[in-house]
Amino acid sequence: MTWVDPAPRTRELIRQAAERALQNPDEWVTPVHEATLSAPTTAAIAADPALADALRRANFDNLLAWATANVRAPGDRVPPNTSAVQLDVARDLVRRGLDDVSLDAYRTGQNVAWRAWMQICFELTRDADELEDLLLVSSTSIADFVDGTIGAVAERMAAERDELTRGSQAERRDMVALILEGAPVPRLRAEAVLAHPLDGDHVAAVVWTTDRDSDLGRLERVAEELMRAFGARQRLTVVAAASTLWVWLPVATAPDRAALEAALRRTPEVRVAIGNPARGVEGFRRSHHDAAEVRRLVARLGTADQLVAFADVQLAALVTRDQARAEEFVAQVLGDLADAPAELQETVRAYLAELGNASAAAARLFTHRNTVLRRLVRADELLPRPLASDPVRIGVALEVLRWRTVEGA
């Protein structure tokens, strides 16, 4: 593409527009996130919290790279974005078999970003000649940048695909994908590929990190701690993404939760979701789906807990499948109690868990019975309906609220 040197006035307008975009990047980037993750072609990416978060980072990284370049040298050609963020996303998508559809997200993001950019341009000048030149140069620059970035990402995907097809990790991942999809794979063949028994008990886990700069070594160490906590002698581990491991343990026992939580505190950026124990090939599949559901719930509600088991959140997972309706349910049932101090909510939860026994609730909370009674009176003042008249719905609403952080509330 022949690059035309923009006029000085056009360069100045591009610089001003880029500065405006960088002043409120979230306002510019959020519509791009929503559009790229709501497209039919990216439904599989949107359904996976790790991949969705990676795509959001890639969108932000692209917009930041282009705008920053045009503040520094407005109107100059912007080189393709080959940052670690873009290349990590490419690797993750290939590992999940989603590379064929993922590049569409770049085009979708380009179209949405262009509309936001035009709005900024229209606010800067109403001179027809200036505006025409500004839009022409901008559209050429954005298209060239996106084309180059797509090309670089596609090259990385090709290299990653070639690398994965040569290793046993790819064969294990492909076999796991077939099992999870319910394909009629002969058990003995699957066990030979995975080097993992499928006819016994299984507990699945998803191990991931919230730190994009963290390495797989940290996740592997947590997987080792997970194995020790369950008393397992072996594990099956599949790299699902640069920031995520899928783990299966051939056990049906409960973990040493205190030891595992203590180990996790040494890596505060790592999270673990654990499925229910199950047996056989179907159990291998179901326990993983449980753990993946916990992972999605954690992303949806934003809980900060490092270790969450499916048994902990099964009720909340069912209720919050439709998040908007879940929020409405919590607000209607709890009223002002939804915004009350955590100790008041925890007292009501403990009281309901002890079937209305205030003394047992006090023992569970390590407090005095009179303190529990005073808190219950206060809770009744905040609830739309008295606790005694609606205990089941109040208990469910509090269970949903329990897994939300302050930021997610």
Side-chain angles (χ1 to χ4, degrees):
M1 178 185 292
T2 303
W3 201 257
V4 178
D5 190 33
R9 175 58 178 164
T10 302
R11 287 183 180 273
E12 174 59 21
L13 289 171
I14 290 174
R15 183 189 62 76
Q16 292 179 23
E19 286 179 341
R20 286 199 183 188
L22 292 173
Q23 286 172 1
N24 297 292
D26 287 336
E27 293 182 9
W28 197 31
V29 175
T30 298
V32 175
H33 295 337
E34 294 172 350
T36 54
L37 292 174
S38 63
T41 54
T42 57
I45 298 174
D48 186 304
L51 292 181
D53 184 59
L55 187 59
R56 289 188 186 96
R57 291 200 304 270
N59 286 333
F60 191 91
D61 183 61
N62 276 328
L63 293 169
L64 191 66
W66 186 84
T68 301
N70 275 288
V71 169
R72 185 174 57 250
D76 283 3
R77 191 171 196 167
V78 180
N81 187 3
T82 57
S83 70
V85 172
Q86 303 301 317
L87 302 184
D88 284 348
V89 170
R91 181 180 58 202
D92 290 351
L93 292 169
V94 170
R95 286 175 172 173
R96 302 295 291 278
L98 296 171
D99 46 309
D100 289 340
V101 300
S102 60
L103 294 179
D104 292 340
Y106 284 85
R107 295 298 182 196
T108 301
Q110 176 185 349
N111 293 336
V112 176
W114 172 244
R115 289 196 293 271
W117 178 259
M118 283 196 298
Q119 181 62 42
I120 295 174
C121 292
F122 282 122
E123 292 171 359
L124 287 176
T125 180
R126 291 294 182 178
D127 183 281
D129 292 335
E130 287 184 352
L131 191 58
E132 179 181 6
D133 200 36
L134 172 59
L135 294 176
L136 178 61
V137 173
S138 299
S139 64
T140 301
S141 176
I142 291 173
D144 181 72
F145 171 74
V146 173
D147 287 347
T149 299
I150 288 177
V153 170
E155 285 184 13
R156 176 56 183 266
M157 285 180 168
E160 183 69 21
R161 197 182 302 113
D162 182 61
E163 179 181 340
L164 289 177
T165 55
R166 294 197 301 265
S168 60
Q169 177 66 225
E171 194 175 9
R172 287 200 302 272
R173 189 181 53 259
D174 290 344
M175 181 58 71
V176 163
L178 289 173
I179 295 172
L180 295 180
E181 291 167 5
V185 181
R187 181 175 61 81
L188 293 179
R189 166 61 180 158
E191 288 179 339
V193 172
L194 299 177
H196 183 84
L198 293 176
D199 59 342
D201 295 311
H202 307 283
V203 171
V206 177
V207 181
W208 75 99
T209 176
T210 58
D211 181 1
R212 65 184 181 185
D213 296 323
S214 186
D215 57 64
L216 280 175
R218 284 176 172 263
L219 299 183
E220 285 284 353
R221 287 192 289 275
V222 169
E224 284 292 310
E225 295 288 352
L226 187 65
M227 190 172 68
R228 281 192 284 271
F230 273 94
R233 294 185 176 182
Q234 67 180 84
R235 61 183 166 95
L236 169 65
T237 304
V238 172
V239 179
S243 60
T244 307
L245 296 181
W246 291 346
V247 180
W248 284 265
L249 305 170
V251 296
T253 56
D256 183 341
R257 191 151 184 163
L260 185 54
E261 288 175 341
L264 283 172
R265 283 195 287 273
R266 295 196 291 269
T267 53
E269 77 281 9
V270 177
R271 305 284 184 269
V272 177
I274 300 174
N276 277 343
R279 190 170 181 81
V281 175
E282 175 57 31
F284 180 93
R285 183 163 43 242
R286 188 168 68 249
S287 188
H288 172 76
H289 289 323
D290 287 349
E293 178 67 20
V294 174
R295 171 73 176 90
R296 286 189 289 270
L297 181 78
V298 167
R300 192 162 66 237
L301 300 185
T303 177
D305 292 56
Q306 281 189 268
L307 176 64
V308 183
F310 186 72
D312 299 333
V313 299
Q314 189 167 8
L315 179 59
L318 290 171
V319 175
T320 60
R321 292 281 171 84
D322 185 332
Q323 189 171 357
R325 296 297 295 273
E327 295 287 344
E328 181 183 346
F329 173 77
V330 169
Q332 288 178 349
V333 173
L334 297 185
D336 292 337
L337 183 61
D339 299 315
E343 66 178 16
L344 189 57
Q345 297 170 1
E346 183 59 30
T347 298
V348 177
R349 270 197 298 270
Y351 180 73
L352 293 174
E354 297 295 344
L355 303 179
N357 186 323
S359 297
R364 175 185 285 226
L365 296 169
F366 301 101
T367 190
H368 197 278
R369 181 176 182 274
N370 288 342
T371 301
V372 170
L373 293 175
R374 284 196 300 272
R375 290 176 184 173
L376 292 174
V377 170
R378 177 56 181 156
D380 266 343
E381 294 172 352
L382 298 174
L383 286 164
R385 298 177 61 189
L387 178 60
S389 68
D390 200 12
V392 174
R393 287 179 3 118
I394 291 171
V396 172
L398 284 170
E399 186 65 19
V400 173
L401 199 62
R402 176 185 178 188
W403 297 104
R404 283 171 28 185
T405 60
V406 175
E407 291 80 9

